[in-house]
Amino acid sequence: MKHLLFATVVCGVLAIAAFGAQTQNPPAQQPPATADPYANNAAAGTLAFPLAAPAGKDSNARTIAPPGAVNTGPFDPATWKRGTAFDPPAGAKIWNPVKLKMMQGGKVTGGTLFSATDPATYCAMANAGYDFIWTEMQHDQHDWQAVSRMWRTCPHATAVPGVRVAYTDEREIQHALDAGALVVVVPTVDSVEEAIEARNWTYFPPLGRRSNGGGQAFDANVWGGVPGGYRNTINDNVVLILMIETLEGLKHADEIAKVPGVTAIFAASGDLGNFSGYRQGSPDYERAVNIVHDAAIKAGVRLCGPFTWRDRPDFTCFQAGSETAAIARGVAAELGPLANTQAKPEVGPFARR
């Protein structure tokens, strides 16, 4: 009995000691969640900026470069030696299959997604056999959120995401590219100045003026994991197609086609008739098409047109039909002689068909 009482006392003393130790040394608490990107650094708040301007003083950076700078002397954009941080790696290969096929001289087709916003419809078209999907932003009411959602649903489908933007515009073109477009089609280009603007918003420096602002194109699940990195290789992989549609565009077609960065020019079948006043097949209409043809040949760029022109000499890039037209063609091909053989009621709404 004495032994049992002794053991009980010992256990009680040990428990009190343990409780006291816990009171003096409470267990480490997890730090609260924070948006501060440096909160978990071992030396948080002690970052060093050795080349920073001194507090409250003019650093004279406009005239004097920091030690080790490549660009010395007074700052001058005209003589600035560009760094190599964003150059593609040596030997980088083309990863955009549309750009590669164009470089090889193959015939490229783009299926037109005209009005659908359902990712399932987009993905079905993107895996149907086209080279790229021509998402229509000029003549339909798509918004960029809907387009971005479709593109990120199946970014690595067999057809790459492409778009016809509404016009030559920084916002439109950069929205398209930041969302992941690899083919950019710009309509109604009338002048060299417009062509240069389209080029500038399509390409990162030094060729263009595209801002490095991020977007889902940089995500690992889209193009962020491409060999060499998206930022460093996209200039070599993006496809820029300029549409010649007006009389002014025809006048300047040779110069438009020669703008560095233009991959192809497109002879717009419908609007060449709309602006010229002549129908396809007439001598004046065909002259307009041939002006675009000659401009592409002289500039050494690809020549695009509607899919019905796929056998026309030197045309290697085509816009195919819309998703609704593809559904109609597919059903007709599938049903064959059973298509449109519905019964004819004598009464009701279907009697009038």
Side-chain angles (χ1 to χ4, degrees), residues 39-103:
N40 296 320
N41 281 4
T46 60
L47 297 178
F49 302 94
L51 297 178
K57 294 182 180 180
D58 186 342
S59 68
N60 228 1
R62 187 173 291 278
T63 56
I64 300 174
V70 173
N71 293 277
T72 58
F75 173 77
D76 184 357
T79 59
W80 185 266
K81 298 179 181 68
R82 180 176 169 78
T84 60
F86 299 103
D87 289 354
K93 295 182 178 181
I94 301 298
W95 49 264
N96 178 0
V98 174
K99 187 66 171 281
L100 184 62
K101 192 174 182 181
M102 282 184 157
M103 293 170 65

Side-chain angles (χ1 to χ4, degrees), residues 155-232:
H156 302 156
T158 54
V160 307
V163 63
R164 174 161 63 178
V165 295
Y167 55 104
T168 304
D169 177 74
E170 176 180 6
R171 180 181 185 275
E172 289 293 296
I173 294 174
Q174 293 201 142
H175 273 3
L177 291 163
D178 288 346
L182 296 182
V183 178
V184 176
V185 183
V186 183
T188 55
V189 177
D190 290 340
S191 65
V192 173
E193 291 74 21
E194 278 189 78
I196 291 172
E197 283 291 292
R199 187 275 312 280
N200 281 349
W201 305 130
T202 300
Y203 289 89
F204 283 121
L207 182 56
R209 291 174 50 81
R210 179 183 171 191
S211 171
N212 193 15
Q216 71 182 28
F218 292 81
D219 291 351
N221 292 330
V222 184
W223 314 127
V226 297
Y230 175 79
R231 169 59 183 86
N232 292 53

Side-chain angles (χ1 to χ4, degrees), residues 189 241-254 256-257 264-269 272 285-305 309 312-315:
V189 177
I241 302 172
L242 304 184
M243 299 188 73
I244 308 296
E245 311 189 58
T246 67
L247 299 181
E248 283 299 307
L250 290 171
K251 178 181 178 181
H252 300 112
D254 286 3
I256 290 170
I265 55 175
F266 191 110
S269 57
L272 282 177
Y285 180 96
E286 295 303 318
R287 181 183 185 185
V289 175
N290 288 340
I291 288 173
V292 183
H293 166 276
D294 296 347
I297 297 304
K298 284 183 279 191
V301 298
R302 300 291 93 193
L303 179 59
C304 304
W309 292 0
R312 196 166 179 139
D314 294 319
F315 279 80

